[in-house]
Amino acid sequence: MPTQKPAPRTPRTSGPKRPRQPAAGELPTREQLLEALANSDDIKGKRDLAKVFGIRGDMRRPFKAMLAELEGEGVITRTRKALRRTAALPAVTVLDIPTDADPENLHAYPAQWNPEEGDPPRVTVLSGRDARVVPGPGDRILARIDAGEAEVPVYTAKAMKILDKPRRGQIGIVRLDDEGARLIPVDRKQKEMRIPLGDLMNAGEGDLVEVEVKLSGRLMIPRAKVTAVIGNPMSEGAISLIAIHNLEIPFRFPPAVIRESEEAKEATLKGREDWRDLPLVTIDPYDAKDHDDAVYAEPDTDEKNPGGHIVYVAIADVAAYIRPGTALDREAYLRGNSVYFPDRVVPMLPERISNDLCSLKEGEARASLAVRMVFDKGGHKLSHTFHRVLMRSAAKLSYQQAQAAIDGRPDDKTGPILEPILKPLYAAYAVMAKARDQRGPLDLDLPERKIILDDKGMVKDIRVPERLDAHRLIEEMMIAANVAAAQTLEQKKSPLLYRVHDVPSSEKLMALRDFLGSLDISVKKSDAVRASDFNGILAQARKAGNVEQVSEMVLRSQAQAEYSAENYGHFGLNLERYSHFTSPIRRYADLIVHRALVKAMGFGDDGLSDNEGLKLPGIAQHISSTERRAMLAERETADRLLAQFLAGQIGARFEGRISGVTRSGLFIRLRDTGADGFIPASTLGQDYYRFEQEQQAMIGDRTGEKFTLGDNVTVRLLEAAPVAGALRFELLSEGVRGNPSSAKRSGKRPSSSYGPKGRRKR
């Protein structure tokens, strides 16, 4: 579109106001078009506008495009053949729903509004049974607007799409130098900027700040202006602050939420079964502060079920304290889940709820939703029933405590309960494990490292916690309880939030087959795969000695688990129906399932409301996104802590493994720490390396030297950037010698190739 130049105004002494005119031969600006529509009653449509602005010849097409763009944005509207400027909200616009909006009666305001036009209009957000998009408090939506028939518009909206909200501002770390100050962005894709001394807002060396970016001078150089000082994460031992602010994770509870939590009263026996004499126990990590699940098992004395077991799982009754529409509920929905960092937890619920009233503390009566499950000697569930109870935990145990007792090393606490409680629990788990193995869930069992911090919040140690039967026992009993919740709600025809995991896509399966073929591992060619098929692949890899390579690719082939109001099964667990019921203290999804059970079972008046049931698709979308945000924040924080830990070891050699291969280089995961870093393809060696996607490898043109996903390598640390959480390595190992690049031999043009000393070959 030609560059627009505003035309000079022509003064008039009387008569209708004449629209401002563009220079001869130029298109009018958007402002001139809108001014003409607003001020001239003679302009009825496109032809009138064209005549007013002298549109002819080659100008017609861009002129029509400009009108279509304005109409598409809702800035102008068409009534039959007449065009007019929209008086207020366009027919389709972006709305923001306040975080404190009533979920039962949502309202919103325009995301963009000129304050000179007065207060923004309040828009009622409608959602019926047939709504495809169901938003909630805090969401930004693209919506279709109806102004009604009245002279003064009464706006209602139907959501078309839930949009991502733009970040408030850029954040980074302040570094002072001889020239003043500069900003080190936390986003590694952004560049450093200078901060004028007058724009520091009292920020000091190392402070984490939020800034707005201004362009200055003829060269439009970006400069930062500090708008908020967040704190000094390094000195405070709180590197997680970077991720919290960068990803805009709510971490301070509003006063109304704290007030509601402090006013909450302990639940009583009214409307509940008394399970206080049932010796349920909690088994958690040694440093857990909240305990939302307790278990107990006993042999089944029914003669019709020889060798069978009865398993009880009691879960904190969070629904009794978090009622729909309250400030507590709105904040829990907004957060979606708790976020766990090495140095802190950002909880979904205030401490009064999560660590006190809803924590199944040893020796204290606590409200819970419980399920009683009967299993046969093969571990297959015969029946289950749900109960709303008052229980009392008989013991608070760590995984290590429980396992040590079973392994013959009981302590003062586990000794007295070994025979009556722990051994029956493990006996029940043993039969449940038989059914699990028969079901064949995906068995990747990848090691997870735990970062241990010192008193200053810096990395002290990195450990891979031992995987114990105590962990598997709790996991298997929680899975069984989650399945039981989904089954009951389906039987009751209740709305339900499923935890779903889709089958791998055809494209990912094809890429996996190509890779496995390069390792001579056989795999069936049908897309109708089951989790057990992947277990067979992993078994072949263990025999061949390349299980780490294959595990990495199998993991990449998987879809991401999410929440959904529609069921399509859980591929990884090999289950037809699955929900999340067992962690309502830290997951909003579980709270919704609890409310659904309360209503379906007639347990009280604090169950799922009809309106909540209609909004499950939107709730599922929102909490799936907050879960992904939490995972990203946890991963970013671990990267920053490990980069800080290794920053003093520049030049040191490390053993690692190639964890990713791309056109631009190799990703390396260090064996001892699990830290991730990068080797640019241009630094690999004295050859031209091409990325071969089928083999997940970089292969040299002349030598055939190959670096493949999963290869063990030795690297040297060249650079560590703690703020960005980035490491850069130099490769010291030689690759496997083989045939020269297949792309070169076949004459195919590579998507990318790199030569020695950083020269890129085209």
Side-chain angles (χ1 to χ4, degrees), residues 98-101 103 137-138 248-258 260-261 322-338 346-350 588 591 595 622-623 626 629:
T99 57
D100 60 351
E248 298 185 0
I249 295 173
F251 72 107
R252 293 191 180 99
F253 288 106
V257 174
I258 297 296
E260 281 188 6
S261 70
I322 312 300
R323 300 294 184 103
T326 60
L328 274 166
D329 181 49
R330 289 194 293 269
E331 186 69 15
Y333 169 84
L334 182 67
R335 295 178 179 225
N337 43 257
S338 298
V346 179
M348 185 179 79
L349 300 170
Y588 195 78
L591 175 57
R595 287 176 180 165
H622 171 73
I623 61 179
T626 61
R629 179 181 67 183

Side-chain angles (χ1 to χ4, degrees), residues 685-699:
Q686 299 300 311
D687 201 344
Y688 291 91
Y689 292 87
R690 301 175 191 264
F691 172 59
E692 298 290 347
Q693 185 168 354
E694 293 81 2
Q695 301 181 56
Q696 286 293 298
M698 281 284 196
I699 303 178

Side-chain angles (χ1 to χ4, degrees), residues 434-610:
K434 293 179 185 177
R436 176 201 63 203
D437 294 342
Q438 187 178 12
R439 187 177 82 239
L442 185 60
D443 187 22
L444 278 172
D445 207 16
L446 296 171
E448 293 187 11
R449 289 174 172 81
K450 183 177 178 65
I451 297 175
I452 310 298
L453 302 182
D454 60 21
D455 295 339
K456 296 180 180 179
M458 295 295 107
V459 178
K460 176 182 178 182
D461 193 11
I462 297 101
R463 301 173 189 163
V464 178
E466 185 181 1
R467 182 86 167 140
L468 305 171
D469 276 346
H471 293 99
R472 298 184 180 94
L473 180 154
I474 294 298
E475 286 176 8
E476 202 58 36
M477 292 182 178
M478 296 305 111
I479 288 171
N482 287 334
V483 171
Q487 290 173 335
T488 291
L489 291 173
E490 278 193 354
Q491 290 164 3
K492 297 289 186 179
K493 302 188 184 309
S494 166
L496 170 58
L497 265 185
Y498 292 94
R499 179 65 170 179
V500 292
H501 180 217
D502 208 353
V503 298
S505 66
S506 298
E507 294 78 7
K508 288 186 176 182
L509 283 175
M510 186 180 300
L512 179 62
R513 288 192 193 98
D514 289 340
F515 174 73
L516 294 174
S518 70
L519 300 177
D520 296 323
I521 294 178
S522 60
V523 57
K524 71 178 187 180
K525 295 187 177 180
S526 170
D527 283 352
V529 294
R530 302 182 64 177
S532 56
D533 296 323
F534 288 103
N535 293 338
I537 292 169
L538 293 168
Q540 292 184 63
R542 288 187 186 97
K543 290 181 181 179
N546 50 16
V547 67
E548 288 186 338
Q549 286 175 286
V550 175
S551 294
E552 196 79 46
M553 279 301 291
V554 167
L555 180 63
R556 292 180 182 205
S557 71
Q558 301 303 304
Q560 188 169 23
E562 61 183 358
Y563 296 103
S564 172
E566 297 181 7
N567 183 31
Y568 51 86
H570 199 295
F571 177 81
L573 293 174
N574 198 14
L575 291 169
E576 292 182 3
R577 59 189 57 80
Y578 191 63
S579 67
H580 270 170
F581 159 73
T582 54
S583 294
I585 288 177
R586 62 185 180 92
R587 295 188 305 225
Y588 195 78
D590 303 56
L591 175 57
I592 291 293
V593 169
H594 275 231
R595 287 176 180 165
L597 284 166
V598 168
K599 181 177 181 181
M601 302 300 297
F603 285 152
D605 61 359
D606 48 353
L608 192 73
S609 69
D610 291 339

Side-chain angles (χ1 to χ4, degrees), residues 193 212-225:
M193 287 179 284
E212 64 179 27
V213 180
K214 302 183 297 183
L215 300 177
S216 63
R218 290 189 299 115
L219 299 178
M220 304 296 282
I221 297 172
R223 298 195 182 278
K225 178 182 180 181

Side-chain angles (χ1 to χ4, degrees), residues 18-58:
R18 178 177 173 80
R20 289 183 295 163
Q21 295 292 306
E26 290 188 354
L27 288 172
T29 64
R30 290 164 57 102
E31 290 73 19
Q32 288 167 344
L33 278 172
L34 295 175
E35 184 182 44
L37 284 170
N39 296 329
S40 178
D41 295 333
D42 296 329
I43 299 176
K44 301 297 184 184
K46 188 165 50 180
R47 288 186 178 180
D48 295 332
L49 274 174
K51 184 182 294 185
V52 166
F53 291 107
I55 304 299
R56 57 178 65 88
D58 293 338

